Amino acid sequence: MENTQCPTEALEALGATCHTFHAPENWQEPNGNRVSMPVAVIEPETPADEAPPVFFFPGGPGYSSLDNRDYLEQLLEDIGERTLVTMDHRGFTHAEPALECPDYAAVSPYHNIIHTPAITASLEPMERLHLITAEVQGCYRKLIDEGIDVSQYNAHAVSRDVDEIRQLLGYERIDAFGSSTGSGTLASFIQYHPESIRAAVFGWPWFNHLRNRPPVDELYIAKQTFTDVLALCAAEDEACRDMLPNWMQAFDRARRALDSRPFVAHVEHGVEGEKALYFDGAALVDTLYLTLASDYAELPSLVADVEAGDYSRLAEFFRIEDYDPEPEAPAYALGYFLAHVCSDMGSNRPSQDDSIAAVQREPAVLGFEPPWLCAWWGEDGDVPAEHNDPPISDTPALSIHGQMDPCCGTRWSQHLQLTMPNLQYVEMQALGHNPVNECRSTMIQAFLDDPYHPVDASCRNEVEREPWVIEPPGVAAAERS
């Protein structure tokens, strides 16, 4: 570890003390390739007495928050008068090497949001699959040609990095805060370095050992969230029940309607001119997976309209005006995104036959979770055989979930509680992934003050749900005309 200049203006503005951490790419081969990564320590003006530092585990995977001052200030608000230690993990944009594959942004289901070719390029799933897998193979070959051992970019290696950083900074034990997939990496840290951690906050968690289940299984669990929203509407509003008397079937009926008659939008695509985007039933599933937190109040009317053949809401729902012919993901090292997702699977990585069968069975997998594409990645990650076992630990933990987050709902914490009995979890009403409100910070600080005491979650409903938009089929079309 060496003292260095901070890599971003955001860290400098927050008064961070910055370092560069150097380590073997493969911890079992200390004389081989080297990696380096930035580490930032932000001290409070009035430190809490004897409070351990809070190490932040970024998510994405591969999202660097070091340039994002608002994001960092929210973390500081969350932890109160405690030291924040944050970093780019190995392979991130400010690390060396950075695992860059910018071409993947154009086809990625996660980064070319909604308008990815995984959903919109055609109505033929195998054609869409090829567009994505060709870029995955190209990214793998690019990184291998650069001499990078992609098998080493996983939560096992990152956990070792973080524990070495802990020791070099002189901390006996730490508290930790994970974000999304960073919570999965944090769970691995607890698994491999239990003596180094006092307490853990799992923010909107995406755990490795659950993420690696077949994607079609996770898709249907997420889809249940959509029907749960319709159930809320029917229970709370008689007009909603009148509009959707068979609300249990409403979402699937809307999906079938789009499969029978897809919504087609024409957009300007730079020098190539006009381009057609195709939105079928799978596009409905995948888009709502990304947008539920902002669209839930209108969802009942949307599905009622679509089932009735009224597509007047869909241009807005599919964000046609936001179409970008040259999508980017500037805060992401997309090669790391792929390497991390696929390496963490270990021997659970699917074969191409597995993934093709999954897409044939459920085309919405194309725009959903990325593990299916790891069949085209090239090799397994260098992780222990037990890497995807549920972590067994008495470490006290707090999980925070958003009610309108199809990705990372409370089922993840319910599962983890089986092997982490001191885990408690809270669901934030009306919020989605990365729920931001005053309640979040209040609970995190209370938990870190006394990790074994039940948090007061009475504020979890401080954000009120939006009023339901109840419009019988055809009303939206009449108003627009």
Side-chain angles (χ1 to χ4, degrees):
M1 186 99 75
E2 60 176 330
N3 295 332
T4 52
Q5 184 176 348
C6 291
T8 71
E9 293 181 1
L11 291 173
E12 291 179 353
L14 293 171
T17 300
C18 294
H19 313 270
T20 298
F21 172 67
H22 304 276
E25 183 178 52
N26 183 340
W27 279 102
Q28 303 306 313
E29 297 179 4
N31 296 321
N33 292 344
R34 307 288 290 178
V35 297
S36 62
M37 59 210 77
V39 178
V41 181
I42 305 177
E43 301 277 1
E45 291 185 9
T46 308
D49 292 339
E50 299 182 1
V54 179
F55 274 51
F56 180 62
F57 285 69
Y63 173 74
S64 174
S65 60
L66 301 186
D67 294 282
N68 190 335
R69 182 170 177 175
D70 289 344
Y71 193 103
L72 294 171
E73 287 180 337
Q74 180 62 54
L75 294 178
L76 293 170
E77 177 71 21
D78 290 337
I79 66 174
E81 296 300 314
R82 296 173 175 82
T83 297
L84 175 68
V85 179
T86 188
M87 64 195 74
D88 268 7
H89 289 159
R90 56 170 58 205
F92 276 44
T93 56
H94 296 289
E96 179 62 39
L99 273 57
E100 300 284 4
C101 287
D103 292 346
Y104 180 62
V107 301
S108 167
Y110 264 44
H111 304 98
N112 184 6
I113 303 300
I114 300 176
H115 304 134
T116 169
I119 300 174
T120 65
S122 74
L123 296 174
E124 173 48 53
M126 289 300 106
E127 181 179 333
R128 306 199 308 261
L129 178 146
H130 177 71
L131 291 172
I132 307 170
T133 58
E135 289 294 346
V136 173
Q137 289 175 315
C139 177
Y140 175 80
R141 289 193 300 267
K142 172 184 180 292
L143 299 179
I144 294 298
D145 290 345
E146 292 172 358
I148 295 170
D149 182 355
V150 296
S151 71
Q152 302 302 319
Y153 294 80
N154 55 66
H156 178 248
V158 168
S159 296
R160 175 68 182 271
D161 293 341
V162 172
D163 201 54
E164 294 286 339
I165 291 168
R166 173 195 65 81
Q167 296 176 62
L168 290 168
L169 290 175
Y171 300 126
E172 182 177 355
R173 300 178 80 197
I174 64 172
D175 292 338
F177 184 170
S179 172
S180 192
T181 56
S183 292
T185 306
L186 173 53
S188 292
F189 183 83
I190 294 171
Q191 181 182 21
Y192 297 120
H193 303 282
E195 71 290 343
S196 300
I197 187 165
R198 184 190 74 116
V201 177
F202 295 126
W204 34 107
W206 210 46
F207 295 125
N208 299 339
H209 70 283
L210 293 181
R211 184 180 77 209
N212 291 349
R213 293 185 294 196
V216 67
D217 296 347
E218 280 304 304
L219 184 145
Y220 284 123
I221 293 173
K223 192 167 75 70
Q224 180 62 48
T225 307
F226 311 152
T227 300
D228 289 345
V229 169
L230 301 181
L232 275 175
C233 184
E236 295 176 351
D237 192 317
E238 191 64 33
C240 185
R241 190 180 296 275
D242 291 341
M243 183 178 69
L244 293 173
N246 195 345
W247 53 263
M248 282 190 180
Q249 308 301 323
F251 185 83
D252 283 327
R253 288 178 176 177
R255 181 178 179 178
R256 292 203 305 274
L258 278 166
D259 283 336
S260 298
R261 182 170 68 88
F263 173 70
V264 182
H266 296 274
V267 295
E268 292 298 320
H269 189 68
V271 296
E272 298 180 21
E274 192 175 79
K275 177 179 180 179
L277 305 179
Y278 301 92
F279 298 92
D280 58 7
L284 177 66
V285 176
D286 293 322
T287 300
L288 198 58
Y289 178 74
L290 297 166
T291 68
L292 181 65
S294 58
D295 290 349
Y296 68 87
E298 196 169 353
L299 179 62
S301 292
L302 175 76
V303 297
D305 276 358
V306 171
E307 181 183 350
D310 175 4
Y311 286 7
S312 58
R313 298 178 191 268
L314 292 184
E316 182 177 355
F317 173 72
F318 288 121
R319 279 72 170 170
I320 302 304
E321 290 188 359
D322 296 336
Y323 177 76
D324 183 357
E326 298 181 357
E328 297 179 351
Y332 273 91
L334 295 183
Y336 178 89
F337 174 86
L338 292 168
H340 179 104
V341 169
C342 299
S343 291
D344 266 356
M345 299 189 82
S347 61
N348 288 295
R349 197 165 58 89
S351 69
Q352 293 184 16
D353 286 344
D354 293 332
S355 291
I356 289 170
V359 171
Q360 289 173 334
R361 185 183 313 118
E362 174 49 84
V365 165
L366 281 169
F368 188 60
E369 293 198 335
W372 69 268
L373 53 75
C374 292
W376 286 265
W377 180 240
E379 62 182 289
D380 295 343
D382 184 9
V383 295
E386 68 275 11
H387 183 67
N388 287 302
D389 293 349
I392 300 173
S393 174
D394 292 327
T395 300
L398 171 67
S399 283
I400 297 174
H401 304 269
Q403 181 187 28
M404 300 301 173
D405 183 5
C407 155
C408 307
T410 56
R411 68 191 184 280
W412 301 86
S413 292
Q414 292 165 358
H415 187 94
L416 198 61
Q417 260 187 345
L418 299 174
T419 56
M420 289 188 66
N422 291 318
L423 167 68
Q424 49 187 317
Y425 63 89
V426 178
E427 181 180 80
M428 298 289 195
Q429 177 175 270
L431 298 178
H433 203 58
N434 192 9
V436 176
N437 61 352
E438 185 177 345
C439 182
R440 155 180 156 173
S441 299
T442 300
M443 287 195 302
I444 290 174
Q445 291 178 35
F447 169 75
L448 293 176
D449 284 343
D450 189 355
Y452 287 98
H453 191 274
V455 297
D456 179 0
S458 59
C459 62
R460 65 186 180 276
N461 295 335
E462 72 176 19
V463 176
E464 295 185 3
R465 287 201 305 272
E466 296 290 331
W468 300 108
V469 177
I470 308 299
E471 296 176 347
V475 171
E479 291 179 347
R480 285 169 171 78
S481 63

